[in-house]
Amino acid sequence: MRILEAFRAAYGDEPTGVWHAPGRVNLIGEHTDYNDGLVLPFAVPWGVTAAVSPRADGVVRLTSLQAPGKEQTVEDLDQAHGWARYPAGVVWALREAGHRVGGADIMIDGDVPQGAGLSSSAALEVAVAVALDDLYGLALPRIELAKIAQRAENAFVGMPCGIMDQAVSALGEEGRALFLDCRTLGSRTVPLDLAANGLRLLIVNTGVYHELADGQYAKRRQDCENAAKRLGVPALRDVTDLAGALARLSGDERRRTQHVVTENHRVEALVGLLRAGAVREIGALLNASHLSLRDQFEVSCPELDTAVEAAVRGGARGARMTGGGFGGSAIALVPEERQAAVRDEVLRAYQARGWAAPTFLEAVPSPGARRLR
Ligand code: GLA
């Protein structure tokens, strides 16, 4: 393992252990997590590996093979900057929650494709969280570690994300998607056997990330909170009479509400189809989710729309943007025999617009965070 060598070279000793946490794709349930809603993501084969040893002096040393020359030694966690704020934030959040966590020597290696919107940051946080949990004998439940990781990102890094990415990185299972209720944090895994149904889930990485994304994410959250307040409910999850709610709202708040409420229904419908063994029938729900994200939630972009439309033209049973939006990746549910046709159609569409070619990956539901050695 190259991370062992790197650890030895940086810190002059063997790490006490090595942990891995995956990135994710979201099958359906987009922008529902921070509305106390439902999501159905699964863990992907790529993630972040952390080799870690505890330190008695409270100091945290951080090195990443993806950030050469940017290693940091911090006594005060707030000194951490750039990439190191994610792992330092996890140490901070654990201590904040009252856990006795000392220092650590941390070496990071990751293979989540950058900018693909596959949650490399959640993978980094969760890898460090499970490592420190083991090393300091905390024995926290996985969902608690996910909450710690989310708190690190919200309060230390400053990104107001929901719980989805960290939860699935901590709780994912091979061959299964994670059906998570973001209010109760109760979850179940659901079999997602694509190959047995002659299907593949293709990731189309647009390679673009539109700058305004971060501010827009916070703005969408705010729209949703404002709408819930106007409707007198704790969260948009609680809207049961959609038509009645829409009649009381206008503009952005109305559109955001329409998306969140219908998206929660789509998650439930999709879970129902998977339980019935009807994975071939989920395409229409993926398409509907995309249209809603494009037109009502307004988080898509031309590159994502083009990928989705071309994939469907090429024979995908359904396709949608996945993750926060404004770039990153789309997913397409593709019959095995249509794989080449779908790729060709997407490549052609990008070429026709003069855009750089997107890249393709296959998403296979993979295990969640675990100790490797
Ligand atoms: C990002 C956030 C998640 C979630 C998605 C949208 O990935 O990190 O918490 O809100 O966007 O579904």
Side-chain angles (χ1 to χ4, degrees):
M1 274 178 119
R2 71 173 187 177
I3 196 170
L4 292 176
E5 257 162 62
F7 190 98
R8 276 183 225 118
Y11 304 125
D13 204 352
E14 291 291 315
T16 307
V18 179
W19 291 260
H20 178 86
R24 63 99 187 90
V25 294
N26 188 16
L27 195 54
I28 202 159
E30 216 68 84
H31 289 277
T32 48
D33 61 354
Y34 53 81
N35 291 297
D36 280 3
L38 307 172
V39 294
L40 190 66
F42 63 86
V44 291
W46 314 282
V48 169
T49 303
V52 187
S53 290
R55 289 175 65 96
D57 61 2
V59 169
V60 180
R61 292 199 287 179
L62 299 142
T63 310
S64 165
L65 288 170
Q66 280 69 51
K70 294 192 177 150
E71 56 277 355
Q72 299 173 35
T73 298
V74 295
E75 280 169 43
D76 168 6
L77 292 169
D78 226 18
Q79 294 164 342
H81 51 90
W83 74 274
R85 284 196 79 75
Y86 295 87
V90 171
V91 179
W92 172 85
L94 282 167
R95 288 179 183 166
E96 267 268 311
H99 301 296
R100 291 171 166 274
V101 172
D105 285 339
I106 302 177
M107 173 62 67
I108 297 296
D109 193 8
D111 64 356
V112 184
Q114 284 306 300
L118 302 179
S119 293
S120 54
S121 47
L124 173 53
E125 293 151 6
V126 172
V128 171
V130 293
L132 295 173
D133 179 67
D134 267 2
L135 289 172
Y136 283 100
L138 307 178
L140 292 170
R142 283 300 171 95
I143 193 69
E144 289 304 317
L145 292 175
K147 282 161 72 179
I148 291 284
Q150 183 201 13
R151 174 133 167 80
E153 187 149 346
N154 289 171
F156 199 82
V157 176
M159 155 67 181
C161 65
I163 188 76
M164 169 171 73
D165 306 346
Q166 292 80 4
V168 67
S169 182
L171 291 164
E173 284 176 24
E174 188 172 2
R176 304 173 81 90
L178 183 76
F179 180 34
L180 173 72
D181 182 325
C182 299
R183 167 166 281 164
T184 64
L185 296 184
S187 68
R188 274 171 295 173
T189 60
V190 188
L192 180 61
D193 199 348
L194 298 163
N197 288 278
L199 295 166
R200 296 283 185 272
L201 202 80
L202 193 67
I203 299 175
V204 184
N205 177 6
T206 67
V208 304
Y209 182 71
H210 294 291
E211 277 307 323
L212 36 88
D214 290 351
Q216 289 296 317
Y217 185 91
K219 195 172 167 303
R220 293 299 178 284
R221 249 194 110 135
Q222 194 60 56
D223 290 345
C224 292
E225 279 160 27
N226 292 346
K229 195 173 287 175
R230 201 178 304 280
L231 295 168
V233 290
L236 289 182
R237 158 70 175 275
D238 301 298
V239 173
T240 45
D241 170 11
L242 177 59
L246 295 181
R248 294 168 60 194
L249 297 169
S250 62
D252 285 353
E253 288 176 21
R254 187 175 196 276
R255 283 192 290 275
R256 309 305 181 236
T257 301
Q258 162 111 36
H259 167 72
V260 171
V261 175
T262 58
E263 184 79 350
N264 279 328
H265 287 303
R266 283 186 287 272
V267 177
E268 288 186 306
L270 204 151
V271 168
L273 290 174
L274 290 185
R275 291 223 170 98
V279 60
R280 294 183 69 82
E281 309 304 320
I282 68 174
L285 291 167
L286 301 181
N287 292 334
S289 172
H290 185 77
L291 293 182
S292 180
L293 287 158
R294 185 190 72 184
D295 300 337
Q296 312 297 336
F297 217 71
E298 298 177 285
V299 289
S300 190
C301 62
E303 293 86 351
L304 286 167
D305 294 340
T306 298
V308 164
E309 285 156 24
V312 171
R313 257 197 328 271
R317 296 190 64 89
R320 58 180 290 273
M321 54 158 277
T322 188
F326 302 107
S329 295
I331 52 172
L333 186 72
V334 182
E336 251 154 42
E337 66 280 7
R338 303 297 301 181
Q339 286 186 85
V342 166
R343 285 174 198 232
D344 287 349
E345 192 67 37
V346 174
L347 287 171
R348 244 197 313 275
Y350 268 58
Q351 203 174 26
R353 286 162 182 77
W355 296 338
T359 52
F360 300 96
L361 297 159
E362 190 190 333
V364 178
S366 302
R370 62 206 180 275
R371 187 171 189 157
L372 298 182
R373 56 176 283 152

